[in-house]
Amino acid sequence: SMRLINKIIKMAVGCIQKNMSLDKLCANYQYISFDIFDTLIERKCKEPSEIFSLIEQKYNRKAEVKIHNFKAQRIMAEILSRKSSKNEEISLNDIYLRISDCYGDSIGKTLRQLEIQTELEQCIAITPMVMLYNQYVNDSSKKVFITSDMYLPKDVIVDILKRNGIKKPQCLYVSCKEQQTKRSGRLFRVLRNENGIKKKAMLHIGDNPISDYLMAKLNGVDSYLIM
C-alpha cells in the first residue's frame, strides 16, 4: 500500500539525511524549490478534510435550509473529478461543478467561497522553514521556487503565502495551473525546462516521500525530505 511505501522511503531517507543540515545543504545550490503544505505552512486543523466540516458549520450558521454530510460529498466530488478528468490535475472549479450537481449552483458557489475563506483562516506558517525560505528569497545569488500539487487557484495560494509572511518566490508552480504534477514528476521537468536548470542543479524541499523526494530525484532535481 501507499502508506507502507511512504514509510519505507522515510526510513531509508532518515538514514541518508541523518547528519545533514538543511541550511548547509542549501548553500550548495543556486536553485531551491519549496513545497507549500506541511513544509512552509500547515493547517490549524491538521487534517485537510476537517476544512470540509468547518465549511458545513459556517454555511449552516447563516442558511435557512441546512446542509448535511458535506464532508463526505466534498471528498467524493474530488475523487470522481480525478477519475473522470483527462487532465493530469484537477482544479477547485472541477470539484465544485460536482458539488453544484448535488446542491445546486447558488449553494455550490457559496460553498466554494467558504472553502477558500476557510483555507485562508486555517493556514499558519511553519516558522523555522519560513525563516529559511525568506532568507534565500532575499539572497541575490539564489533563485527560489515554490512548487505545489494543489487544486486551489494560484491567486488563493499567493494570498495564503502573503498572509503568512512568506515572501513572493521568483517563480510559483501550481499543478492545477500548469496541468502537470510533482506526483508524476512532470512538474519538475516543466520547471527545469522553462528555467534552463541543469540536472542536479536544484534542490527541492518537501514532506511527501514520493512526490517531493522520489519524483524530484527521478526528474533531475536533488531533494530533501522533511520528516
Side-chain angles (χ1 to χ4, degrees), residues 55-91:
I55 294 168
E56 181 174 312
Q57 287 163 24
K58 277 186 185 166
Y59 181 84
N60 285 341
R61 245 175 255 147
K62 290 187 176 164
E64 285 179 18
V65 181
K66 312 288 180 221
I67 59 168
H68 305 286
N69 218 5
F70 176 69
K71 182 174 171 176
Q73 296 281 6
R74 170 62 181 74
I75 290 170
M76 204 55 197
E78 188 172 333
I79 291 169
L80 293 172
S81 291
R82 287 192 190 284
K83 273 198 171 135
S84 67
S85 177
K86 293 185 175 59
N87 300 327
E88 188 160 312
E89 185 59 294
I90 57 166
S91 68

PDB file of all heavy atoms in Angstrom, residues 55-91:
ATOM      1  N   ILE A  55     -16.618  24.084   6.813  1.00  0.00           N
ATOM      2  CA  ILE A  55     -17.429  24.744   5.773  1.00  0.00           C
ATOM      3  C   ILE A  55     -18.918  24.501   6.052  1.00  0.00           C
ATOM      4  O   ILE A  55     -19.730  25.430   5.996  1.00  0.00           O
ATOM      5  CB  ILE A  55     -17.054  24.215   4.364  1.00  0.00           C
ATOM      6  CG1 ILE A  55     -15.618  24.608   4.008  1.00  0.00           C
ATOM      7  CG2 ILE A  55     -18.035  24.726   3.303  1.00  0.00           C
ATOM      8  CD1 ILE A  55     -15.059  23.886   2.777  1.00  0.00           C
ATOM      9  N   GLU A  56     -19.249  23.258   6.370  1.00  0.00           N
ATOM     10  CA  GLU A  56     -20.652  22.932   6.656  1.00  0.00           C
ATOM     11  C   GLU A  56     -21.171  23.726   7.853  1.00  0.00           C
ATOM     12  O   GLU A  56     -22.265  24.305   7.811  1.00  0.00           O
ATOM     13  CB  GLU A  56     -20.813  21.428   6.919  1.00  0.00           C
ATOM     14  CG  GLU A  56     -22.255  21.036   7.197  1.00  0.00           C
ATOM     15  CD  GLU A  56     -22.458  19.519   7.307  1.00  0.00           C
ATOM     16  OE1 GLU A  56     -21.971  18.788   6.431  1.00  0.00           O
ATOM     17  OE2 GLU A  56     -23.107  19.098   8.277  1.00  0.00           O
ATOM     18  N   GLN A  57     -20.357  23.797   8.918  1.00  0.00           N
ATOM     19  CA  GLN A  57     -20.765  24.560  10.112  1.00  0.00           C
ATOM     20  C   GLN A  57     -21.009  26.027   9.765  1.00  0.00           C
ATOM     21  O   GLN A  57     -22.015  26.613  10.171  1.00  0.00           O
ATOM     22  CB  GLN A  57     -19.676  24.487  11.194  1.00  0.00           C
ATOM     23  CG  GLN A  57     -19.583  23.137  11.888  1.00  0.00           C
ATOM     24  CD  GLN A  57     -18.256  22.975  12.639  1.00  0.00           C
ATOM     25  OE1 GLN A  57     -17.610  23.955  13.011  1.00  0.00           O
ATOM     26  NE2 GLN A  57     -17.839  21.736  12.847  1.00  0.00           N
ATOM     27  N   LYS A  58     -20.071  26.604   9.006  1.00  0.00           N
ATOM     28  CA  LYS A  58     -20.209  28.018   8.632  1.00  0.00           C
ATOM     29  C   LYS A  58     -21.449  28.256   7.788  1.00  0.00           C
ATOM     30  O   LYS A  58     -22.173  29.224   7.977  1.00  0.00           O
ATOM     31  CB  LYS A  58     -18.997  28.456   7.799  1.00  0.00           C
ATOM     32  CG  LYS A  58     -17.821  28.842   8.635  1.00  0.00           C
ATOM     33  CD  LYS A  58     -16.754  29.397   7.722  1.00  0.00           C
ATOM     34  CE  LYS A  58     -15.517  29.665   8.539  1.00  0.00           C
ATOM     35  NZ  LYS A  58     -14.362  29.894   7.718  1.00  0.00           N
ATOM     36  N   TYR A  59     -21.659  27.361   6.830  1.00  0.00           N
ATOM     37  CA  TYR A  59     -22.813  27.508   5.937  1.00  0.00           C
ATOM     38  C   TYR A  59     -24.106  27.435   6.735  1.00  0.00           C
ATOM     39  O   TYR A  59     -24.999  28.263   6.583  1.00  0.00           O
ATOM     40  CB  TYR A  59     -22.791  26.427   4.848  1.00  0.00           C
ATOM     41  CG  TYR A  59     -23.948  26.574   3.891  1.00  0.00           C
ATOM     42  CD1 TYR A  59     -23.872  27.460   2.818  1.00  0.00           C
ATOM     43  CD2 TYR A  59     -25.141  25.878   4.093  1.00  0.00           C
ATOM     44  CE1 TYR A  59     -24.953  27.642   1.965  1.00  0.00           C
ATOM     45  CE2 TYR A  59     -26.224  26.054   3.253  1.00  0.00           C
ATOM     46  CZ  TYR A  59     -26.125  26.938   2.190  1.00  0.00           C
ATOM     47  OH  TYR A  59     -27.197  27.132   1.356  1.00  0.00           O
ATOM     48  N   ASN A  60     -24.186  26.445   7.608  1.00  0.00           N
ATOM     49  CA  ASN A  60     -25.424  26.212   8.364  1.00  0.00           C
ATOM     50  C   ASN A  60     -25.729  27.305   9.384  1.00  0.00           C
ATOM     51  O   ASN A  60     -26.874  27.499   9.768  1.00  0.00           O
ATOM     52  CB  ASN A  60     -25.390  24.840   9.046  1.00  0.00           C
ATOM     53  CG  ASN A  60     -25.607  23.713   8.044  1.00  0.00           C
ATOM     54  OD1 ASN A  60     -26.116  23.944   6.946  1.00  0.00           O
ATOM     55  ND2 ASN A  60     -25.206  22.507   8.402  1.00  0.00           N
ATOM     56  N   ARG A  61     -24.697  28.042   9.799  1.00  0.00           N
ATOM     57  CA  ARG A  61     -24.920  29.143  10.733  1.00  0.00           C
ATOM     58  C   ARG A  61     -25.799  30.219  10.094  1.00  0.00           C
ATOM     59  O   ARG A  61     -26.594  30.864  10.761  1.00  0.00           O
ATOM     60  CB  ARG A  61     -23.580  29.761  11.132  1.00  0.00           C
ATOM     61  CG  ARG A  61     -23.273  29.580  12.606  1.00  0.00           C
ATOM     62  CD  ARG A  61     -21.892  30.084  12.960  1.00  0.00           C
ATOM     63  NE  ARG A  61     -20.968  28.992  13.167  1.00  0.00           N
ATOM     64  CZ  ARG A  61     -19.678  29.028  12.880  1.00  0.00           C
ATOM     65  NH1 ARG A  61     -19.135  30.097  12.351  1.00  0.00           N
ATOM     66  NH2 ARG A  61     -18.900  27.994  13.107  1.00  0.00           N
ATOM     67  N   LYS A  62     -25.640  30.414   8.781  1.00  0.00           N
ATOM     68  CA  LYS A  62     -26.370  31.510   8.119  1.00  0.00           C
ATOM     69  C   LYS A  62     -27.554  31.028   7.283  1.00  0.00           C
ATOM     70  O   LYS A  62     -28.462  31.791   7.004  1.00  0.00           O
ATOM     71  CB  LYS A  62     -25.404  32.286   7.208  1.00  0.00           C
ATOM     72  CG  LYS A  62     -24.388  33.087   8.000  1.00  0.00           C
ATOM     73  CD  LYS A  62     -23.554  33.979   7.110  1.00  0.00           C
ATOM     74  CE  LYS A  62     -22.619  34.832   7.949  1.00  0.00           C
ATOM     75  NZ  LYS A  62     -21.549  35.433   7.152  1.00  0.00           N
ATOM     76  N   ALA A  63     -27.512  29.775   6.857  1.00  0.00           N
ATOM     77  CA  ALA A  63     -28.520  29.315   5.896  1.00  0.00           C
ATOM     78  C   ALA A  63     -29.813  28.909   6.586  1.00  0.00           C
ATOM     79  O   ALA A  63     -29.797  28.365   7.692  1.00  0.00           O
ATOM     80  CB  ALA A  63     -27.967  28.141   5.113  1.00  0.00           C
ATOM     81  N   GLU A  64     -30.915  29.174   5.904  1.00  0.00           N
ATOM     82  CA  GLU A  64     -32.208  28.744   6.449  1.00  0.00           C
ATOM     83  C   GLU A  64     -32.380  27.244   6.241  1.00  0.00           C
ATOM     84  O   GLU A  64     -32.831  26.528   7.118  1.00  0.00           O
ATOM     85  CB  GLU A  64     -33.346  29.521   5.778  1.00  0.00           C
ATOM     86  CG  GLU A  64     -33.408  30.948   6.311  1.00  0.00           C
ATOM     87  CD  GLU A  64     -34.508  31.764   5.650  1.00  0.00           C
ATOM     88  OE1 GLU A  64     -35.417  31.161   5.054  1.00  0.00           O
ATOM     89  OE2 GLU A  64     -34.446  33.000   5.746  1.00  0.00           O
ATOM     90  N   VAL A  65     -32.003  26.802   5.031  1.00  0.00           N
ATOM     91  CA  VAL A  65     -32.070  25.359   4.755  1.00  0.00           C
ATOM     92  C   VAL A  65     -30.682  24.778   4.994  1.00  0.00           C
ATOM     93  O   VAL A  65     -29.726  25.140   4.307  1.00  0.00           O
ATOM     94  CB  VAL A  65     -32.530  25.089   3.300  1.00  0.00           C
ATOM     95  CG1 VAL A  65     -32.623  23.583   3.046  1.00  0.00           C
ATOM     96  CG2 VAL A  65     -33.871  25.762   3.045  1.00  0.00           C
ATOM     97  N   LYS A  66     -30.560  23.905   5.977  1.00  0.00           N
ATOM     98  CA  LYS A  66     -29.241  23.371   6.367  1.00  0.00           C
ATOM     99  C   LYS A  66     -28.764  22.290   5.380  1.00  0.00           C
ATOM    100  O   LYS A  66     -29.594  21.617   4.765  1.00  0.00           O
ATOM    101  CB  LYS A  66     -29.299  22.764   7.777  1.00  0.00           C
ATOM    102  CG  LYS A  66     -29.961  23.642   8.829  1.00  0.00           C
ATOM    103  CD  LYS A  66     -29.099  24.820   9.214  1.00  0.00           C
ATOM    104  CE  LYS A  66     -29.765  25.693  10.265  1.00  0.00           C
ATOM    105  NZ  LYS A  66     -29.598  27.123  10.020  1.00  0.00           N
ATOM    106  N   ILE A  67     -27.458  22.144   5.305  1.00  0.00           N
ATOM    107  CA  ILE A  67     -26.918  21.027   4.518  1.00  0.00           C
ATOM    108  C   ILE A  67     -26.328  19.994   5.496  1.00  0.00           C
ATOM    109  O   ILE A  67     -25.954  20.329   6.614  1.00  0.00           O
ATOM    110  CB  ILE A  67     -25.836  21.474   3.507  1.00  0.00           C
ATOM    111  CG1 ILE A  67     -24.651  22.153   4.214  1.00  0.00           C
ATOM    112  CG2 ILE A  67     -26.432  22.391   2.443  1.00  0.00           C
ATOM    113  CD1 ILE A  67     -23.434  22.359   3.317  1.00  0.00           C
ATOM    114  N   HIS A  68     -26.264  18.753   5.046  1.00  0.00           N
ATOM    115  CA  HIS A  68     -25.729  17.685   5.899  1.00  0.00           C
ATOM    116  C   HIS A  68     -24.726  16.875   5.097  1.00  0.00           C
ATOM    117  O   HIS A  68     -24.821  16.795   3.874  1.00  0.00           O
ATOM    118  CB  HIS A  68     -26.860  16.771   6.391  1.00  0.00           C
ATOM    119  CG  HIS A  68     -27.936  17.537   7.087  1.00  0.00           C
ATOM    120  ND1 HIS A  68     -27.771  18.060   8.355  1.00  0.00           N
ATOM    121  CD2 HIS A  68     -29.179  17.912   6.675  1.00  0.00           C
ATOM    122  CE1 HIS A  68     -28.867  18.716   8.697  1.00  0.00           C
ATOM    123  NE2 HIS A  68     -29.737  18.644   7.700  1.00  0.00           N
ATOM    124  N   ASN A  69     -23.758  16.295   5.813  1.00  0.00           N
ATOM    125  CA  ASN A  69     -22.865  15.340   5.160  1.00  0.00           C
ATOM    126  C   ASN A  69     -21.978  15.963   4.083  1.00  0.00           C
ATOM    127  O   ASN A  69     -21.574  15.287   3.140  1.00  0.00           O
ATOM    128  CB  ASN A  69     -23.747  14.252   4.515  1.00  0.00           C
ATOM    129  CG  ASN A  69     -23.103  12.885   4.651  1.00  0.00           C
ATOM    130  OD1 ASN A  69     -22.051  12.763   5.298  1.00  0.00           O
ATOM    131  ND2 ASN A  69     -23.692  11.899   4.044  1.00  0.00           N
ATOM    132  N   PHE A  70     -21.685  17.256   4.225  1.00  0.00           N
ATOM    133  CA  PHE A  70     -20.890  17.922   3.191  1.00  0.00           C
ATOM    134  C   PHE A  70     -19.484  17.330   3.068  1.00  0.00           C
ATOM    135  O   PHE A  70     -18.964  17.178   1.976  1.00  0.00           O
ATOM    136  CB  PHE A  70     -20.793  19.430   3.452  1.00  0.00           C
ATOM    137  CG  PHE A  70     -19.907  20.139   2.451  1.00  0.00           C
ATOM    138  CD1 PHE A  70     -20.300  20.272   1.129  1.00  0.00           C
ATOM    139  CD2 PHE A  70     -18.666  20.649   2.820  1.00  0.00           C
ATOM    140  CE1 PHE A  70     -19.479  20.900   0.189  1.00  0.00           C
ATOM    141  CE2 PHE A  70     -17.834  21.274   1.897  1.00  0.00           C
ATOM    142  CZ  PHE A  70     -18.245  21.405   0.571  1.00  0.00           C
ATOM    143  N   LYS A  71     -18.890  16.966   4.204  1.00  0.00           N
ATOM    144  CA  LYS A  71     -17.521  16.428   4.179  1.00  0.00           C
ATOM    145  C   LYS A  71     -17.418  15.221   3.229  1.00  0.00           C
ATOM    146  O   LYS A  71     -16.549  15.163   2.360  1.00  0.00           O
ATOM    147  CB  LYS A  71     -17.092  16.038   5.591  1.00  0.00           C
ATOM    148  CG  LYS A  71     -15.675  15.506   5.698  1.00  0.00           C
ATOM    149  CD  LYS A  71     -15.321  15.296   7.172  1.00  0.00           C
ATOM    150  CE  LYS A  71     -14.031  14.568   7.372  1.00  0.00           C
ATOM    151  NZ  LYS A  71     -13.672  14.469   8.787  1.00  0.00           N
ATOM    152  N   ALA A  72     -18.360  14.279   3.386  1.00  0.00           N
ATOM    153  CA  ALA A  72     -18.360  13.077   2.537  1.00  0.00           C
ATOM    154  C   ALA A  72     -18.591  13.448   1.070  1.00  0.00           C
ATOM    155  O   ALA A  72     -17.948  12.908   0.166  1.00  0.00           O
ATOM    156  CB  ALA A  72     -19.421  12.100   3.016  1.00  0.00           C
ATOM    157  N   GLN A  73     -19.513  14.389   0.842  1.00  0.00           N
ATOM    158  CA  GLN A  73     -19.818  14.815  -0.532  1.00  0.00           C
ATOM    159  C   GLN A  73     -18.599  15.459  -1.194  1.00  0.00           C
ATOM    160  O   GLN A  73     -18.313  15.229  -2.358  1.00  0.00           O
ATOM    161  CB  GLN A  73     -20.954  15.859  -0.528  1.00  0.00           C
ATOM    162  CG  GLN A  73     -22.280  15.352  -0.030  1.00  0.00           C
ATOM    163  CD  GLN A  73     -23.027  14.548  -1.096  1.00  0.00           C
ATOM    164  OE1 GLN A  73     -22.487  14.282  -2.168  1.00  0.00           O
ATOM    165  NE2 GLN A  73     -24.241  14.159  -0.790  1.00  0.00           N
ATOM    166  N   ARG A  74     -17.909  16.283  -0.414  1.00  0.00           N
ATOM    167  CA  ARG A  74     -16.758  17.024  -0.955  1.00  0.00           C
ATOM    168  C   ARG A  74     -15.593  16.069  -1.271  1.00  0.00           C
ATOM    169  O   ARG A  74     -14.918  16.202  -2.285  1.00  0.00           O
ATOM    170  CB  ARG A  74     -16.362  18.112   0.053  1.00  0.00           C
ATOM    171  CG  ARG A  74     -15.061  18.851  -0.194  1.00  0.00           C
ATOM    172  CD  ARG A  74     -15.038  19.618  -1.488  1.00  0.00           C
ATOM    173  NE  ARG A  74     -13.750  20.270  -1.660  1.00  0.00           N
ATOM    174  CZ  ARG A  74     -12.622  19.652  -1.983  1.00  0.00           C
ATOM    175  NH1 ARG A  74     -12.614  18.348  -2.174  1.00  0.00           N
ATOM    176  NH2 ARG A  74     -11.496  20.317  -2.141  1.00  0.00           N
ATOM    177  N   ILE A  75     -15.387  15.087  -0.379  1.00  0.00           N
ATOM    178  CA  ILE A  75     -14.336  14.086  -0.622  1.00  0.00           C
ATOM    179  C   ILE A  75     -14.672  13.289  -1.879  1.00  0.00           C
ATOM    180  O   ILE A  75     -13.828  13.060  -2.744  1.00  0.00           O
ATOM    181  CB  ILE A  75     -14.173  13.161   0.616  1.00  0.00           C
ATOM    182  CG1 ILE A  75     -13.535  13.954   1.773  1.00  0.00           C
ATOM    183  CG2 ILE A  75     -13.320  11.929   0.290  1.00  0.00           C
ATOM    184  CD1 ILE A  75     -13.543  13.245   3.125  1.00  0.00           C
ATOM    185  N   MET A  76     -15.929  12.907  -1.998  1.00  0.00           N
ATOM    186  CA  MET A  76     -16.389  12.122  -3.149  1.00  0.00           C
ATOM    187  C   MET A  76     -16.262  12.932  -4.442  1.00  0.00           C
ATOM    188  O   MET A  76     -15.836  12.410  -5.475  1.00  0.00           O
ATOM    189  CB  MET A  76     -17.852  11.700  -2.928  1.00  0.00           C
ATOM    190  CG  MET A  76     -18.250  10.480  -3.708  1.00  0.00           C
ATOM    191  SD  MET A  76     -17.094   9.127  -3.309  1.00  0.00           S
ATOM    192  CE  MET A  76     -17.398   8.029  -4.633  1.00  0.00           C
ATOM    193  N   ALA A  77     -16.630  14.204  -4.380  1.00  0.00           N
ATOM    194  CA  ALA A  77     -16.568  15.063  -5.571  1.00  0.00           C
ATOM    195  C   ALA A  77     -15.134  15.134  -6.110  1.00  0.00           C
ATOM    196  O   ALA A  77     -14.899  15.099  -7.317  1.00  0.00           O
ATOM    197  CB  ALA A  77     -17.070  16.469  -5.236  1.00  0.00           C
ATOM    198  N   GLU A  78     -14.182  15.188  -5.186  1.00  0.00           N
ATOM    199  CA  GLU A  78     -12.774  15.252  -5.601  1.00  0.00           C
ATOM    200  C   GLU A  78     -12.323  13.929  -6.227  1.00  0.00           C
ATOM    201  O   GLU A  78     -11.663  13.903  -7.265  1.00  0.00           O
ATOM    202  CB  GLU A  78     -11.892  15.614  -4.406  1.00  0.00           C
ATOM    203  CG  GLU A  78     -10.460  15.886  -4.806  1.00  0.00           C
ATOM    204  CD  GLU A  78      -9.612  16.432  -3.660  1.00  0.00           C
ATOM    205  OE1 GLU A  78     -10.161  17.075  -2.742  1.00  0.00           O
ATOM    206  OE2 GLU A  78      -8.397  16.201  -3.698  1.00  0.00           O
ATOM    207  N   ILE A  79     -12.729  12.830  -5.605  1.00  0.00           N
ATOM    208  CA  ILE A  79     -12.362  11.501  -6.131  1.00  0.00           C
ATOM    209  C   ILE A  79     -12.934  11.319  -7.541  1.00  0.00           C
ATOM    210  O   ILE A  79     -12.228  10.913  -8.470  1.00  0.00           O
ATOM    211  CB  ILE A  79     -12.866  10.370  -5.192  1.00  0.00           C
ATOM    212  CG1 ILE A  79     -12.070  10.400  -3.870  1.00  0.00           C
ATOM    213  CG2 ILE A  79     -12.750   8.998  -5.851  1.00  0.00           C
ATOM    214  CD1 ILE A  79     -12.639   9.517  -2.768  1.00  0.00           C
ATOM    215  N   LEU A  80     -14.227  11.666  -7.703  1.00  0.00           N
ATOM    216  CA  LEU A  80     -14.876  11.496  -9.003  1.00  0.00           C
ATOM    217  C   LEU A  80     -14.270  12.422 -10.061  1.00  0.00           C
ATOM    218  O   LEU A  80     -14.113  12.043 -11.218  1.00  0.00           O
ATOM    219  CB  LEU A  80     -16.391  11.729  -8.890  1.00  0.00           C
ATOM    220  CG  LEU A  80     -17.150  10.687  -8.066  1.00  0.00           C
ATOM    221  CD1 LEU A  80     -18.598  11.102  -7.856  1.00  0.00           C
ATOM    222  CD2 LEU A  80     -17.102   9.305  -8.740  1.00  0.00           C
ATOM    223  N   SER A  81     -13.920  13.652  -9.649  1.00  0.00           N
ATOM    224  CA  SER A  81     -13.281  14.588 -10.589  1.00  0.00           C
ATOM    225  C   SER A  81     -11.966  14.013 -11.095  1.00  0.00           C
ATOM    226  O   SER A  81     -11.668  14.077 -12.284  1.00  0.00           O
ATOM    227  CB  SER A  81     -12.981  15.925  -9.917  1.00  0.00           C
ATOM    228  OG  SER A  81     -14.168  16.591  -9.636  1.00  0.00           O
ATOM    229  N   ARG A  82     -11.190  13.462 -10.180  1.00  0.00           N
ATOM    230  CA  ARG A  82      -9.896  12.890 -10.578  1.00  0.00           C
ATOM    231  C   ARG A  82     -10.084  11.708 -11.522  1.00  0.00           C
ATOM    232  O   ARG A  82      -9.368  11.544 -12.490  1.00  0.00           O
ATOM    233  CB  ARG A  82      -9.089  12.450  -9.346  1.00  0.00           C
ATOM    234  CG  ARG A  82      -8.540  13.617  -8.566  1.00  0.00           C
ATOM    235  CD  ARG A  82      -7.510  13.217  -7.525  1.00  0.00           C
ATOM    236  NE  ARG A  82      -7.199  14.334  -6.644  1.00  0.00           N
ATOM    237  CZ  ARG A  82      -6.420  15.372  -6.977  1.00  0.00           C
ATOM    238  NH1 ARG A  82      -5.862  15.426  -8.162  1.00  0.00           N
ATOM    239  NH2 ARG A  82      -6.203  16.362  -6.128  1.00  0.00           N
ATOM    240  N   LYS A  83     -11.079  10.866 -11.200  1.00  0.00           N
ATOM    241  CA  LYS A  83     -11.325   9.677 -12.017  1.00  0.00           C
ATOM    242  C   LYS A  83     -11.736  10.035 -13.437  1.00  0.00           C
ATOM    243  O   LYS A  83     -11.311   9.400 -14.397  1.00  0.00           O
ATOM    244  CB  LYS A  83     -12.424   8.825 -11.384  1.00  0.00           C
ATOM    245  CG  LYS A  83     -11.863   7.851 -10.355  1.00  0.00           C
ATOM    246  CD  LYS A  83     -12.845   6.733 -10.067  1.00  0.00           C
ATOM    247  CE  LYS A  83     -12.178   5.652  -9.213  1.00  0.00           C
ATOM    248  NZ  LYS A  83     -13.037   5.204  -8.117  1.00  0.00           N
ATOM    249  N   SER A  84     -12.578  11.064 -13.561  1.00  0.00           N
ATOM    250  CA  SER A  84     -13.145  11.345 -14.886  1.00  0.00           C
ATOM    251  C   SER A  84     -12.309  12.344 -15.682  1.00  0.00           C
ATOM    252  O   SER A  84     -12.553  12.565 -16.854  1.00  0.00           O
ATOM    253  CB  SER A  84     -14.570  11.871 -14.736  1.00  0.00           C
ATOM    254  OG  SER A  84     -14.515  13.134 -14.119  1.00  0.00           O
ATOM    255  N   SER A  85     -11.321  12.951 -15.038  1.00  0.00           N
ATOM    256  CA  SER A  85     -10.564  14.005 -15.722  1.00  0.00           C
ATOM    257  C   SER A  85      -9.567  13.418 -16.711  1.00  0.00           C
ATOM    258  O   SER A  85      -8.880  12.444 -16.420  1.00  0.00           O
ATOM    259  CB  SER A  85      -9.817  14.856 -14.691  1.00  0.00           C
ATOM    260  OG  SER A  85      -9.040  15.815 -15.369  1.00  0.00           O
ATOM    261  N   LYS A  86      -9.490  14.052 -17.891  1.00  0.00           N
ATOM    262  CA  LYS A  86      -8.493  13.637 -18.880  1.00  0.00           C
ATOM    263  C   LYS A  86      -7.180  14.351 -18.600  1.00  0.00           C
ATOM    264  O   LYS A  86      -6.141  14.012 -19.142  1.00  0.00           O
ATOM    265  CB  LYS A  86      -8.982  13.967 -20.294  1.00  0.00           C
ATOM    266  CG  LYS A  86     -10.189  13.148 -20.691  1.00  0.00           C
ATOM    267  CD  LYS A  86     -10.589  13.393 -22.144  1.00  0.00           C
ATOM    268  CE  LYS A  86     -11.727  12.466 -22.566  1.00  0.00           C
ATOM    269  NZ  LYS A  86     -12.939  12.656 -21.714  1.00  0.00           N
ATOM    270  N   ASN A  87      -7.255  15.381 -17.764  1.00  0.00           N
ATOM    271  CA  ASN A  87      -6.046  16.152 -17.443  1.00  0.00           C
ATOM    272  C   ASN A  87      -5.279  15.489 -16.318  1.00  0.00           C
ATOM    273  O   ASN A  87      -5.810  14.650 -15.607  1.00  0.00           O
ATOM    274  CB  ASN A  87      -6.421  17.576 -17.012  1.00  0.00           C
ATOM    275  CG  ASN A  87      -7.167  18.305 -18.110  1.00  0.00           C
ATOM    276  OD1 ASN A  87      -6.915  18.087 -19.288  1.00  0.00           O
ATOM    277  ND2 ASN A  87      -8.106  19.145 -17.718  1.00  0.00           N
ATOM    278  N   GLU A  88      -4.042  15.932 -16.164  1.00  0.00           N
ATOM    279  CA  GLU A  88      -3.223  15.359 -15.104  1.00  0.00           C
ATOM    280  C   GLU A  88      -3.650  15.882 -13.729  1.00  0.00           C
ATOM    281  O   GLU A  88      -3.476  15.222 -12.725  1.00  0.00           O
ATOM    282  CB  GLU A  88      -1.756  15.696 -15.366  1.00  0.00           C
ATOM    283  CG  GLU A  88      -0.837  14.981 -14.427  1.00  0.00           C
ATOM    284  CD  GLU A  88       0.584  14.899 -14.932  1.00  0.00           C
ATOM    285  OE1 GLU A  88       0.802  14.533 -16.100  1.00  0.00           O
ATOM    286  OE2 GLU A  88       1.473  15.204 -14.151  1.00  0.00           O
ATOM    287  N   GLU A  89      -4.193  17.091 -13.691  1.00  0.00           N
ATOM    288  CA  GLU A  89      -4.592  17.664 -12.414  1.00  0.00           C
ATOM    289  C   GLU A  89      -5.976  18.268 -12.535  1.00  0.00           C
ATOM    290  O   GLU A  89      -6.412  18.638 -13.618  1.00  0.00           O
ATOM    291  CB  GLU A  89      -3.576  18.749 -12.001  1.00  0.00           C
ATOM    292  CG  GLU A  89      -3.799  19.359 -10.632  1.00  0.00           C
ATOM    293  CD  GLU A  89      -3.762  18.370  -9.470  1.00  0.00           C
ATOM    294  OE1 GLU A  89      -4.665  17.514  -9.399  1.00  0.00           O
ATOM    295  OE2 GLU A  89      -2.852  18.484  -8.631  1.00  0.00           O
ATOM    296  N   ILE A  90      -6.672  18.344 -11.406  1.00  0.00           N
ATOM    297  CA  ILE A  90      -7.996  18.967 -11.390  1.00  0.00           C
ATOM    298  C   ILE A  90      -7.908  20.292 -10.636  1.00  0.00           C
ATOM    299  O   ILE A  90      -6.929  20.561  -9.949  1.00  0.00           O
ATOM    300  CB  ILE A  90      -9.030  18.048 -10.711  1.00  0.00           C
ATOM    301  CG1 ILE A  90      -8.588  17.698  -9.280  1.00  0.00           C
ATOM    302  CG2 ILE A  90      -9.268  16.796 -11.530  1.00  0.00           C
ATOM    303  CD1 ILE A  90      -9.666  17.081  -8.423  1.00  0.00           C
ATOM    304  N   SER A  91      -8.961  21.101 -10.780  1.00  0.00           N
ATOM    305  CA  SER A  91      -8.985  22.402 -10.101  1.00  0.00           C
ATOM    306  C   SER A  91     -10.167  22.431  -9.136  1.00  0.00           C
ATOM    307  O   SER A  91     -11.035  21.558  -9.159  1.00  0.00           O
ATOM    308  CB  SER A  91      -9.159  23.521 -11.134  1.00  0.00           C
ATOM    309  OG  SER A  91     -10.462  23.428 -11.697  1.00  0.00           O
TER     310      SER A  91
END
